[in-house]
Amino acid sequence: MIAATQIRVGMILELDKKLCRVMNVTHITPGNKRGIIQTQLRNLLSGNQEERRFGSDEKVERAILEQHEMEFLYADGEHYHFMHTENYEQVTFGADLIGDGKSYLLPNLKVVAEFYDGRPVSVVLPPSIALTVTEAEPTVRFATAAASYKQATLETGLNVKVPNFIQVGEKVKIDTSTGDYIERA
């Protein structure tokens, strides 16, 4: 049990027998009244988001997760196959567990899989990943007065806006939390 004032973004809490990841935390102190901790939570099993308030003197249960490094092998429709890097055991995750992360998965990509009571609950991607551009709009000539971007499709099917100078076949670095272009890889 931890005090509500110790809740931080990224923590996993066990609330009403559900596992929830803390997405946002705001500490509100209205004048001379007691402080309130307002959180935005995402249910790890259903993916639903909810907002919840805690009094500053409340206690919450922090879930302890096992973390294992795994390597992505392949996907076959609704299932994603990973291999444990220490004992080479293969684990299959459903598409609902991967969520939007499927746009970043390439064979041999190392990720961190989180387990609770022996069941997989989430997959943590690296902060950025290098992907190859497979399709891009043609370059607009003489568009150098201001930063200009064009639409590009990457090898995983992800569509992103990239600078005008990026061509088909180049590798670009993408932020996995926002899906935005960072730089050439």
Side-chain angles (χ1 to χ4, degrees), residues 145-165:
S148 57
Y149 290 87
K150 62 183 180 180
Q151 202 65 30
T153 304
L154 306 178
E155 61 188 303
T156 59
L158 181 67
N159 290 317
V160 296
K161 289 198 176 282
V162 296
N164 234 348
F165 57 82

Side-chain angles (χ1 to χ4, degrees), residues 100 103-104 129-138 148-164 166-167 170-184:
D100 295 336
S103 300
Y104 306 104
I129 185 169
L131 298 171
T132 305
V133 176
T134 56
E135 293 178 28
E137 293 177 356
S148 57
Y149 290 87
K150 62 183 180 180
Q151 202 65 30
T153 304
L154 306 178
E155 61 188 303
T156 59
L158 181 67
N159 290 317
V160 296
K161 289 198 176 282
V162 296
N164 234 348
I166 300 293
Q167 300 297 322
E170 288 188 67
K171 281 194 171 283
V172 293
K173 202 175 217 182
I174 303 297
D175 183 338
T176 57
S177 62
T178 62
D180 294 335
Y181 165 86
I182 299 173
E183 63 186 4
R184 276 185 176 157

Side-chain angles (χ1 to χ4, degrees), residues 45-89:
L45 298 178
S46 68
N48 295 336
Q49 285 196 359
E50 68 175 276
E51 288 191 8
R52 192 152 176 186
R53 290 183 177 191
F54 300 98
S56 60
D57 58 343
E58 282 186 62
K59 300 267 188 213
V60 293
E61 184 72 34
R62 182 174 181 189
I64 305 299
L65 301 178
E66 294 177 40
Q67 295 186 333
H68 299 285
E69 184 180 68
M70 303 198 97
E71 184 176 316
F72 175 65
L73 298 175
Y74 64 95
D76 61 356
E78 291 295 310
H79 296 91
Y80 293 81
H81 301 271
F82 292 84
M83 179 182 66
H84 199 290
T85 58
E86 293 173 9
N87 61 13
Y88 306 110
E89 178 184 327

Side-chain angles (χ1 to χ4, degrees), residues 77-118:
E78 291 295 310
H79 296 91
Y80 293 81
H81 301 271
F82 292 84
M83 179 182 66
H84 199 290
T85 58
E86 293 173 9
N87 61 13
Y88 306 110
E89 178 184 327
Q90 290 191 17
V91 179
T92 302
F93 295 160
D96 55 334
L97 191 71
I98 304 297
D100 295 336
K102 62 186 171 206
S103 300
Y104 306 104
L105 291 177
L106 288 174
N108 303 324
L109 176 71
K110 300 241 188 306
V111 299
V112 175
E114 296 178 324
F115 293 83
Y116 183 75
D117 286 340

